[in-house]
Amino acid sequence: MDYNFNLYSKYYDLLYGNKDYNEEANYVSDCIQKYSAEAKTILEFGSGTGMHGLILQKLGYDIYGLERSEQMVMEAQLRGLKCEQADIIDFEMDRKFDVVISLFHVISYIIENASLEMVFRNASKNLNSGGLFIFDVWYSPAVYHLKPETRIKKVENKDISVVRIAEPEMHTNKNVVDVNYTILVSEKNSDKWNEFQEKHPMRHFSIPEIELLAKLTGFEMLKAEEFLTGLEPSENTWGVNFILKKIG
Ligand SMILES: C[S@@+](CC[C@H](N)C(=O)[O-])C[C@H]1O[C@@H](n2cnc3c(N)ncnc32)[C@H](O)[C@@H]1O
């Protein structure tokens, strides 16, 4: 199937080369230690190219990733992350973990209510009693206040130059923003550019919305805070981190 991230994944690490995965993985580990100090095993939803997972592995966690993009799974496996290609909406796994994590807005890629319910139920099904579900999403008050803008990003390595144009289209009544990416890639020493497009529909959430979803699927909400800083979410907080606990 032609999912988003299939082409995009080829340039993913280059585009996010300045993202501080080390700081983020340590923040997630701190969240785990704060709410479940004994936790050792982690299931990662949307593990991408394995950047957070490998750091958490080094920190001593036993981590397993699920990721829909075949290219990203291959990249993560080459780097040493145990993971497999799977859709977090619909997969079977006969193993339980202490924590489920889903980082860098993976849950915002799940835009339909029915699919969200399935993802939350899958997290619950694969958690031990009292296990944590930790994920960050786009936060509705900030999306309406700050408003997504067209952005242009240019990156390069020794072989290629990449220009990414991100054009947002808001669907206010669905809590969804389509991010329409145009990616231009040129090999160094060539003046030819290859162009491709990918649409990434992103859902944003309010705290009561996640609270309701959590309750429906057997979780209680322990915390909603700004990702990395731990501050109270505000209309300027684009990414909010949720920490849920499986009841029973
Ligand atoms: C912004 S990336 C984040 C990847 C990784 N967590 C990181 O921080 O680099 C979003 C990821 O979610 C994955 N994804 C989106 N929907 C998914 C689904 N239904 N099942 C599994 N993975 C999914 C995409 O393939 C992509 O790798």
Side-chain angles (χ1 to χ4, degrees):
M1 211 183 277
D2 189 20
Y3 293 124
N4 55 25
F5 278 102
N6 269 348
L7 287 168
Y8 192 69
S9 63
K10 280 174 87 175
Y11 311 107
Y12 186 83
D13 287 335
L14 187 55
L15 282 163
Y16 292 107
N18 59 356
K19 190 171 166 62
D20 196 338
Y21 279 98
N22 203 40
E23 186 187 10
E24 294 186 6
N26 275 284
Y27 161 74
V28 171
S29 177
D30 288 348
C31 292
I32 295 171
Q33 291 307 308
K34 186 167 176 186
Y35 294 101
S36 181
E38 301 297 306
K40 285 278 170 288
T41 56
I42 303 177
L43 177 63
E44 182 171 12
F45 282 1
S47 42
T49 55
M51 299 296 283
H52 291 115
L54 288 164
I55 299 163
L56 288 162
Q57 205 164 272
K58 279 203 190 113
L59 290 174
Y61 297 97
D62 176 7
I63 180 157
Y64 193 85
L66 301 178
E67 164 57 51
R68 192 171 60 179
S69 154
E70 190 182 358
Q71 286 85 344
M72 290 177 118
V73 170
M74 286 190 315
E75 188 64 44
Q77 285 174 340
L78 278 175
R79 289 179 172 156
L81 186 77
K82 285 178 277 172
C83 57
E84 67 181 61
Q85 191 181 8
D87 190 326
I88 58 171
I89 298 169
D90 183 17
F91 68 92
E92 287 298 328
M93 181 179 252
D94 192 16
R95 189 179 162 194
K96 287 189 192 290
F97 296 79
D98 299 326
V99 184
V100 173
I101 60 171
S102 196
L103 304 173
F104 198 15
H105 313 145
V106 173
I107 299 298
S108 280
Y109 279 86
I110 314 297
I111 57 172
E112 303 292 343
N113 283 348
S115 303
L116 277 163
E117 188 182 334
M118 285 165 81
V119 169
F120 275 55
R121 288 201 190 282
N122 285 337
S124 173
K125 203 166 95 184
N126 290 282
L127 274 172
N128 291 318
S129 169
L132 302 179
F133 183 23
I134 301 177
F135 57 91
D136 60 317
V137 289
W138 284 20
Y139 186 49
S140 298
V143 171
Y144 291 124
H145 182 65
L146 300 172
K147 295 200 168 56
E149 294 172 342
T150 296
R151 285 173 198 268
I152 299 176
K153 188 166 188 172
K154 294 178 190 171
V155 287
E156 60 182 353
N157 63 17
K158 64 181 189 2
D159 301 318
I160 56 168
S161 301
V162 179
V163 177
R164 185 193 71 181
I165 305 161
E167 295 172 287
E169 189 184 336
M170 285 183 83
H171 301 282
T172 311
N173 292 337
K174 292 184 174 170
N175 285 12
V176 167
V177 179
D178 286 344
V179 184
N180 296 299
Y181 288 116
T182 302
I183 316 267
L184 300 156
V185 184
S186 160
E187 283 182 28
K188 289 273 175 77
N189 307 323
S190 150
D191 49 10
K192 279 201 206 128
W193 289 85
N194 283 319
E195 177 180 333
F196 64 89
Q197 260 98 25
E198 263 189 23
K199 180 162 91 171
H200 292 204
M202 303 294 292
R203 175 141 174 193
H204 47 86
F205 299 89
S206 67
I207 292 173
E209 200 178 352
I210 296 289
E211 210 160 22
L212 195 63
L213 196 53
K215 206 167 179 185
L216 180 74
T217 54
F219 289 101
E220 67 171 305
M221 187 185 292
L222 299 180
K223 197 80 205 284
E225 63 182 32
E226 185 173 68
F227 192 71
L228 281 184
T229 67
L231 293 172
E232 175 97 359
S234 76
E235 59 187 13
N236 292 309
T237 310
W238 199 272
V240 169
N241 187 41
F242 288 88
I243 303 169
L244 312 185
K245 183 180 176 182
K246 179 175 169 172
I247 300 167

